[in-house]
Amino acid sequence: MAGVGGRRRTNDWPVLRHAKKGLRRIFDLSERGAERLFSPVLNPLAQLGALSFFLFWVVAVSGIYLFIFFDTGIVDAYSSVEWISGQHWYHAGVMRSFHRYASDLMVVSVAIHLLREFSLDRYRGTRWFSWVTGIPLIWFLYISGITGYWLVWDMLAQYVAVVSAKLLDVFPVFGEPLARNFLTPQHLSSRFFSLLVFLHIAVPLILLLGMWIHTQRISRPKVNPPRLLAALMLSALLGVSLWKPTLSQGPADLTHVPAEVGLDWLFLPLYPLAEAWGEWSLWGLLVGVSVMLAAMPWLPPFRRAPVAKVDLPNCNGCNRCVEDCPYEAIRLVPRTDGEPFPHQAEVNANLCVSCGICMGACPSSTPFRRQQDLKTGIDLTGQPLRDVRESVVAASAELKGTRRVLVLACEHGAGGGDLGGVVTFPCVAMVPPSLIDFILSKDLAEGVVAAGCSESTCYNRLGGEWTKQRFAGERDPYLRKRVERERLATIWASPFESRRYEAEKAAFAARLETLEKAAQRAATEGESDTRLEVEA
Amino acid sequence: MKEALKMPLRFAVLALIFMGVAALSNRPLYRSLPEGTGMLTLSFSHGADRRAACRKATPEELAKLPPNMRRPEICPRDRPPIRVEFDIDGKRMFEAEVPPSGIASDGPSRVHQRFVLPAGEYEIAVRMSERPDGDFTWHEERTIRIDPSNSRVIDFRANAGGFVFH
């Protein structure tokens, strides 16, 4: 039966599968450590996209500040930057370090963001858009950084200029080879710096536009980190800027080769390769990697789960599924069936990732309904509410003893690998709160565990948050008050945290036993009191 | 752990990561040129005379053209390749027929070659012909000195008399 038992298997190419598994393991260890230290809300690894946005703004603001003091010109550029870092180190110099290190950190956060999404397989199906639009962003980020290095016009800038010019000169689009601009001091023109300033402003603006496009197909994109985390990052940036201020590497001198330079290995790691391999080989590598990355969403295995489907007789256009969908795959459209409601939900199949969160959000998704063919307003075709109810009943039959715990698990978490008495879902937020009420009131189990994936890094972005809010009665549909909260446990655990998951589940089962005993004692005392009253 | 204790620890972890990033932003040093060597660059951009001189268009040729494009003379745009030879201490380091640039082959021929040489004195000979099979109309021989990390350039400017040594 659909959804009962362990998590679904993927059939990636073995090398990719092992790479992803290894990366997932590394990320999991780091994320759990970061969660413990920073708390799930502040976990930096759970908001790499937001951190990249934040770092962009740090770079932008510090760049605008530096531009006030910067002069364009062969000699003026270097001397103005020296003035910034020397006489005015305490404001402009610190800003220069912010500008440099925040750019470097942005490279790091973007790289980790990409690797993490890859390891979680979050680039297929509808996610192709975010994945593919992210690739030009890497190019623009690097172009922004590299043009910035030229502006300082120190020895590193000279090295970067010469190698960049050689790289660009392989394309026959320049009337005069760019490299000739850097042959001798007489060949260099101050106008070149004006062009560079223009590029160093224009390309980051294009980058920002690209970042905006990148977040267009997800709802509630997180583009700002929590304030406390932002403050911590700014403090750490300030500390590092004072500890190791960014300095120039001596003025550029075209009569000499910058034989030894302190290279920024985050922005310029490919420059030595250009010298070693030749320009065409490097372009081949860059274009090849970009094309391969762009093609990844369409490479096998093709696994596309059936998308959500609206059942009009059960949909009143209440908007809850629209609100909860993390991918903006549902919208309200004018009613088409003549029912007395202004709207109905409509699913865009191209955007739906089949997470089932909409089904969990629908007030019609209640297993109590006495219909032969149980239906709801919006259902997941591959795992409809009817199957979910049957799966729950079947899973309940597997439970024995007095500590029966039924697990409703996210397939991307530790609970998804559990055996016996488990119903898995693409996301824990697919579980309608009424399902928990159903299980407990129908005595299908003594307790229910809602087992999500990791707390700060929900596989389906918002599933964990919505589940918590529904259980807390803060988000519709609420978990009814009559549901005994002591009989419900929520465990957030990634697939690599099965030991903690088992321990928490066992502790919950032990608590349930105490509860049962207390309930039995109360019942026995109640009965004896009644007997005494009758005898009296 | 208490929140008050966690905050400095959070700062320390972030600062440590940022310090690593700052260190990678400058180190390790990269040497682009071996120690004790310098660079000699042969770089110029020169367009040879066009293959053919302008000639009067025939009435038939003019009739084939739209009225607004009828010019009395037809001037072929394409240039021939140039031939370049470059010797250091009598040893041939570069020899090429360099085609003109541009889609219509009407741009200048471009040469940009870099030679990493140990510091010292060198006998340089450079020759250029404006036709692949013609004589070397431009030539220069000179002794130059290259110091460690020195960058010497051989350019070409016809209006300055030929090859220019920087």
Side-chain angles (χ1 to χ4, degrees), chain A residues 413-481:
Chain A
D418 202 351
L419 296 171
V422 181
V423 182
T424 56
F425 298 85
C427 177
V428 75
M430 182 179 161
V431 175
S434 55
L435 184 64
I436 293 158
D437 192 7
F438 176 78
I439 294 166
L440 294 176
S441 61
K442 299 284 179 193
D443 196 27
L444 296 174
E446 271 76 45
V448 176
V449 167
C453 49
S454 47
E455 187 168 8
S456 60
T457 53
C458 173
Y459 186 84
N460 281 303
R461 299 187 61 241
L462 304 169
E465 206 177 325
W466 293 167
T467 303
K468 281 188 212 167
Q469 290 181 11
R470 287 173 192 166
F471 288 1
E474 294 164 357
R475 189 175 194 84
D476 232 355
Y478 309 128
L479 179 64
R480 291 177 71 177
K481 281 187 180 162

Side-chain angles (χ1 to χ4, degrees), chain B residues 46 126-130 136-140 156 158 161-163:
Chain B
H46 177 67
V126 57
R127 295 174 281 278
M128 182 181 70
S129 161
E130 298 205 0
F136 289 106
T137 41
W138 305 97
H139 52 86
E140 185 75 44
F156 176 84
F163 288 100

Side-chain angles (χ1 to χ4, degrees), chain A residues 36-38 100 104 159 162 174-176 180 183 187 233 255-262 264-265 275, chain B residues 6 10-11 13 18 21 24-32 39 43-45 110 114 149-151 155:
Chain A
R36 274 194 291 279
L37 178 62
F38 285 86
R100 165 84 164 263
D104 282 326
Y159 171 75
V162 169
F174 302 103
E176 184 85 351
R180 288 183 51 76
L183 285 178
H187 282 82
M233 287 188 65
T255 63
H256 284 82
V257 181
E260 195 170 55
V261 284
D264 183 338
W265 293 96
E275 290 188 291
Chain B
K6 270 190 175 176
R10 286 170 183 164
F11 171 80
V13 168
F18 290 11
V21 168
L24 261 182
S25 179
N26 288 288
R27 292 286 183 278
L29 290 175
Y30 171 68
R31 177 161 273 283
S32 65
M39 176 91 73
S43 175
F44 61 87
S45 177
R110 299 162 179 170
R114 303 201 306 168
S149 299
N150 207 198
S151 174
D155 196 357

Side-chain angles (χ1 to χ4, degrees), chain B residues 36-59:
Chain B
T37 60
M39 176 91 73
L40 176 60
T41 308
L42 173 67
S43 175
F44 61 87
S45 177
H46 177 67
D49 283 343
R50 299 187 194 279
R51 276 183 203 275
C54 297
R55 64 175 172 78
K56 278 196 90 157
T58 62

Side-chain angles (χ1 to χ4, degrees), chain A residues 316-427:
Chain A
N316 63 6
C318 70
N319 201 44
R320 289 186 182 98
C321 55
V322 179
E323 278 288 311
D324 282 9
C325 177
Y327 306 99
E328 293 200 330
I330 311 169
R331 60 179 187 148
L332 286 187
V333 293
R335 200 81 197 181
T336 58
D337 60 354
E339 289 295 320
F341 304 109
H343 297 110
Q344 65 186 50
E346 185 183 76
V347 177
N348 182 343
N350 291 325
L351 301 182
C352 178
V353 302
S354 316
C355 64
I357 292 178
C358 51
M359 198 266 257
C362 182
S364 304
S365 298
T366 164
F368 288 104
R369 298 173 94 184
R370 291 168 190 272
Q371 288 177 355
Q372 190 66 31
D373 188 16
L374 182 62
K375 284 193 170 175
T376 178
I378 186 163
D379 217 344
L380 202 57
T381 327
Q383 195 177 354
L385 182 64
R386 183 192 63 237
D387 285 8
V388 168
R389 186 167 71 179
E390 287 173 13
S391 305
V392 163
V393 174
S396 162
E398 295 170 7
L399 301 171
K400 300 280 180 277
T402 55
R403 296 194 300 181
R404 292 177 305 153
V405 174
L406 207 146
V407 180
L408 305 174
C410 164
E411 67 182 18
H412 305 288
D418 202 351
L419 296 171
V422 181
V423 182
T424 56
F425 298 85
C427 177

Side-chain angles (χ1 to χ4, degrees), chain A residues 440 470-473 478-489 508 515:
Chain A
L440 294 176
R470 287 173 192 166
F471 288 1
Y478 309 128
L479 179 64
R480 291 177 71 177
K481 281 187 180 162
R482 74 173 188 181
V483 176
E484 289 178 64
R485 296 310 198 260
E486 308 84 65
R487 295 184 181 277
L488 171 64
F508 174 60
L515 266 178

Side-chain angles (χ1 to χ4, degrees), chain B residues 28-88:
Chain B
L29 290 175
Y30 171 68
R31 177 161 273 283
S32 65
L33 205 62
E35 224 160 325
T37 60
M39 176 91 73
L40 176 60
T41 308
L42 173 67
S43 175
F44 61 87
S45 177
H46 177 67
D49 283 343
R50 299 187 194 279
R51 276 183 203 275
C54 297
R55 64 175 172 78
K56 278 196 90 157
T58 62
E60 292 78 27
E61 283 172 328
L62 287 173
K64 279 182 193 165
L65 293 168
N68 63 324
M69 292 177 74
R70 285 175 192 160
R71 301 255 158 81
E73 283 192 324
I74 291 175
C75 298
R77 291 174 62 180
D78 63 321
R79 297 175 191 275
I82 60 168
R83 191 150 59 95
V84 181
E85 286 180 3
F86 179 63
D87 299 343
I88 299 177

